[in-house]
Amino acid sequence: FPSSLRRLDISVMAERDVEIHLPVLPQQMDWIKVDLSFASGWLDIAALPEYVGRMELTRIDSLSWPGTGHAGRLDLADGYDSDPMDLTIPSLVIDAEARLWRPYVNRLDMSAVACNALRVDQGVINGDVQWPMAESIWFSVSEIRGELPPFPSTVRNLSMDLTIISCLPTLPDGLLY
């Protein structure tokens, strides 16, 4: 890709799984958007930019890149019409929030992620979660099934608005509200 590229927008209209392999990306990007609207798939990036303002990924079942990425914001969207997925997010430092919109997951591993906030909107999580290092975790109109591990010690703010949870995990000592 040319070094001047600031925004990458890939939209795929397919009815079967898709694999996307991206080469080394420019060092600074404003936005990376990959939308697999009707399918699901894998995204492999040879090298992330030094910094990307926003990453917006829709219906990605598998993510990979080497090293630690740095983003201003991460938006991941799934859909209830698909089977529950197992998702591991590679090493990523996020300045603002990681937002999961309509996630339907059996296993969610964000242990290699550091962010200011994790927001889960309209999601179903079946219990196997590895939390990111975050100061705030917000659930909105979600359902959490099964037993969750304790929240990270870094969490200071926790909100569960219109969220069904079967078993509240251990709360961190530093929780403020």
Side-chain angles (χ1 to χ4, degrees):
F1 290 115
S3 61
S4 60
L5 182 70
R6 300 296 292 183
R7 181 181 172 136
L8 179 64
D9 189 337
I10 299 172
S11 295
V12 178
M13 300 286 211
E15 294 185 14
R16 64 185 191 323
D17 289 348
V18 176
E19 289 186 38
I20 297 174
H21 301 277
L22 297 176
V24 173
L25 295 175
Q27 288 300 303
Q28 298 290 319
M29 293 187 73
D30 298 327
W31 198 331
I32 296 173
K33 179 180 180 181
V34 179
D35 184 349
L36 306 181
S37 297
F38 300 108
S40 59
W42 301 269
L43 176 61
D44 174 59
I45 302 173
L48 278 176
E50 186 177 296
Y51 180 82
V52 59
R54 181 175 183 176
M55 293 178 70
E56 185 176 329
L57 310 174
T58 302
R59 299 196 54 124
I60 302 294
D61 289 342
S62 177
L63 283 169
S64 66
W65 56 71
T68 299
H70 187 187
R73 177 186 172 117
L74 172 67
D75 291 299
L76 290 173
D78 190 32
Y80 300 131
D81 55 332
S82 63
D83 293 326
M85 66 177 170
D86 295 341
L87 179 63
T88 298
I89 300 174
S91 184
L92 186 62
V93 174
I94 303 167
D95 294 336
E97 73 177 16
R99 180 177 181 239
L100 307 181
W101 186 73
R102 294 186 70 188
Y104 184 26
V105 294
N106 279 328
R107 183 178 170 281
L108 176 63
D109 184 350
M110 295 183 73
S111 60
V113 174
C115 57
N116 184 44
L118 169 63
R119 179 181 300 274
V120 179
D121 291 314
Q122 302 178 30
V124 176
I125 298 174
N126 287 326
D128 187 2
V129 176
Q130 297 299 313
W131 302 109
M133 296 304 284
E135 290 185 18
S136 300
I137 297 180
W138 301 309
F139 293 95
S140 178
V141 193
S142 295
E143 181 177 353
I144 303 165
R145 304 170 181 161
E147 187 174 330
L148 293 176
F151 291 109
S153 61
T154 56
V155 173
R156 300 292 174 254
N157 310 306
L158 176 64
S159 175
M160 294 184 170
D161 182 36
L162 299 173
T163 295
I164 299 167
I165 185 167
S166 58
C167 182
L168 189 65
T170 303
L171 300 175
D173 288 336
L175 189 65
L176 299 174
Y177 72 90

